[in-house]
Amino acid sequence: MEKEIILTGDRPTGKLHLGHYVGSLKNRVQLQNTGKYETYIMVADQQALTDNARDPQKIRNSLIEVALDYLAVGLDPAKSTIFVQSQIPELNELTMQYLNLVTVARVQRNPTVKEEIKQKNFNKSIPAGFFIYPVSQAADITAFKASVVPVGQDQEPMIEQAREIVRTFNSLYGDILVEPRAIIPEESVCSRLPGTDGKAKMSKSLDNAIYLSDDADTIKKKVMSMYTDPNHIRVEDPGEVENNPVFIYLDAFCSDKEILQEMKDHYKRGGLGDVKVKRYLNEVLQAELEPIRKRREEFAKDLPQVYKMLFDGSNVARQVAAKTLDEVRCAIGLEYFRGMFNA
Ligand code: ATP
Ligand code: MG
């Protein structure tokens, strides 16, 4: 039986953080290691440029950081094809073909894009490339005929958009493309991890992240200054655990659910101070992140090797995308000269 195909990726707008880790990276590594899938992991530099065109150096610098984060968490070039989006120009042509199948109103309705437009303060000056990035994401997914896309919750509207494009394309031109499905972490705290400031989403762009590469001191500082329940003023006061990011992180990272339940009960009753809970969270995070950081340091000793991995992966990915693009061109009927003039 043919293997199912996975495609997913990250924007190189900074280093990867805990949100990426629980939202998507963990799932990918686990799926990769089952051996049941053909896995493609993309550094989405072209997509990152849609809202960073004036700062390409940031994208260049982040490319290698994201690649190191990948290797550090256990993505393995022997098992997964790790590649760079901008090195696959076929993706751009696919995007152009799909743009004709999507209405402006449909793109405007995308809730994640709407939220990001607000968050980025674009007002009326939204770059057109940014506005249509869900369509280019559909090109990325379908170029590899991926059926499985492990992502965080904010990506759900993108996958839905991709599914619609596939259905429209296939009904117009024949069964060429594959409909993808998103794999989102079952635990809602993982599918959208909040920031250390309590804001709805930990994000590289919001300066509220704990990075996989942060050193032990930095992690501790960030944890100890995290936002908690603002009404939990004295230790004796009863506290709230529901919208409290310290407890949300414990839900996402603490494997001893019994201890966690006891702490939650104690906090709700009153008598458990924030400092104690934060110290415990710090221990849990240090234990999870230390081996990742160590592996990252090892890989960082040989950066040319990491660039070589991206180069090799991009060459493999380009061949796959070129084959799909050829099928797409033929399906639309653009192969005018095939068989003529030695074409
Ligand atoms: P940017 O602000 O530049 O968009 P980002 O932090 O949102 O950066 P992306 O590269 O856009 O990161 O997202 C990569 C993947 O990580 C996506 O699958 C996304 O759903 C997931 N992800 C990002 N942030 C979180 C989060 N806070 N919780 C869970 N998953 C997340
Ligand atoms: Mg994002």
Side-chain angles (χ1 to χ4, degrees):
M1 215 180 79
E2 269 187 36
K3 285 184 173 180
E4 269 201 288
I5 298 172
I6 292 176
L7 178 119
T8 187
D10 308 271
R11 295 154 38 98
T13 49
K15 297 172 174 186
L16 299 184
H17 55 59
L18 293 182
H20 301 119
Y21 185 59
V22 292
S24 175
L25 292 170
K26 255 184 165 176
N27 255 346
R28 299 179 205 177
V29 173
Q30 196 245 325
L31 291 167
Q32 164 198 271
N33 290 340
T34 62
K36 288 188 187 149
Y37 300 89
E38 189 177 318
T39 305
Y40 295 90
I41 308 290
M42 178 179 81
V43 188
D45 60 336
Q46 195 69 57
Q47 189 185 116
L49 280 169
T50 63
D51 57 330
N52 289 281
R54 282 165 182 77
D55 191 5
Q57 194 58 41
K58 175 165 102 182
I59 311 301
R60 276 187 82 89
N61 295 344
S62 303
L63 174 71
I64 192 77
E65 301 290 351
V66 169
L68 285 171
D69 287 327
Y70 283 171
L71 294 167
V73 297
L75 288 173
D76 178 354
K79 298 177 186 164
S80 296
T81 301
I82 302 175
F83 70 98
V84 184
Q85 186 184 27
S86 63
Q87 306 307 300
I88 324 291
E90 286 77 6
L91 298 175
N92 299 327
E93 185 178 337
L94 275 181
T95 305
M96 289 305 285
Q97 303 298 355
Y98 297 169
L99 278 170
N100 300 328
L101 308 178
V102 175
T103 64
V104 172
R106 175 65 183 86
V107 186
Q108 242 159 358
R109 261 202 326 268
N110 185 309
T112 300
V113 174
K114 269 194 198 161
E115 194 183 311
E116 289 175 340
I117 286 171
K118 257 197 238 147
Q119 190 197 90
K120 292 172 203 291
N121 290 322
F122 281 140
N123 298 319
K124 290 216 177 317
S125 45
I126 307 164
F130 179 82
F131 186 64
I132 58 111
Y133 90 76
V135 180
S136 102
Q137 207 167 306
D140 305 331
I141 296 167
T142 55
F144 297 90
K145 304 208 166 161
S147 56
V148 178
V149 189
V151 282
Q153 193 189 36
D154 62 323
Q155 293 301 309
E156 231 169 1
M158 311 302 164
I159 312 302
E160 193 46 45
Q161 173 86 79
R163 293 164 64 83
E164 280 175 37
I165 290 173
V166 168
R167 288 198 285 266
T168 309
F169 185 98
N170 285 352
S171 71
L172 282 170
Y173 305 122
D175 248 351
I176 304 288
L177 304 177
V178 175
E179 260 189 62
R181 67 177 190 279
I183 293 201
I184 293 176
E186 276 163 30
E187 289 185 67
S188 64
V189 291
C190 296
S191 67
R192 192 183 177 92
L193 196 75
T196 50
D197 56 358
K199 294 235 172 76
K201 181 173 170 282
M202 180 177 286
S203 165
K204 312 176 205 108
S205 314
L206 294 178
D207 197 23
N208 62 5
I210 295 176
Y211 294 95
L212 299 177
S213 47
D214 278 345
D215 62 37
D217 278 351
T218 308
I219 296 168
K220 187 164 179 209
K221 264 190 213 127
K222 288 183 178 174
V223 170
M224 296 316 286
S225 58
M226 267 178 80
Y227 177 91
T228 63
D229 174 3
N231 299 316
H232 186 243
I233 297 165
R234 284 164 309 177
V235 173
E236 317 83 81
D237 292 341
E240 207 201 302
V241 299
E242 264 76 38
N243 298 310
N244 187 331
V246 178
F247 281 100
I248 294 176
Y249 287 16
L250 283 171
D251 272 332
F253 291 97
C254 174
S255 48
D256 194 333
K257 299 294 173 204
E258 237 170 82
I259 289 193
L260 180 54
Q261 194 52 51
E262 266 171 42
M263 289 183 90
K264 282 182 178 176
D265 293 342
H266 193 175
Y267 194 82
K268 283 197 270 193
R269 274 199 313 274
L272 179 59
D274 284 308
V275 171
K276 269 206 180 139
V277 188
K278 285 177 174 177
R279 281 209 189 113
Y280 183 61
L281 173 62
N282 178 54
E283 269 173 39
V284 168
L285 289 182
Q286 299 286 359
E288 183 99 26
L289 292 179
E290 191 188 78
I292 295 177
R293 187 169 59 237
K294 290 259 154 68
R295 272 200 302 273
R296 201 181 192 280
E297 282 162 9
E298 280 309 303
F299 286 112
K301 287 180 184 158
D302 191 356
L303 293 185
Q305 190 58 36
V306 181
Y307 279 108
K308 179 73 166 50
M309 166 192 86
L310 294 172
F311 176 73
D312 290 345
S314 300
N315 286 336
V316 171
R318 188 165 183 191
Q319 284 179 24
V320 178
K323 184 164 173 287
T324 305
L325 177 61
D326 189 58
E327 290 172 39
V328 162
R329 291 177 68 101
C330 289
I332 301 175
L334 303 175
E335 78 297 20
Y336 311 120
F337 309 121
R338 185 141 307 170
M340 300 163 95
F341 325 114
N342 298 324

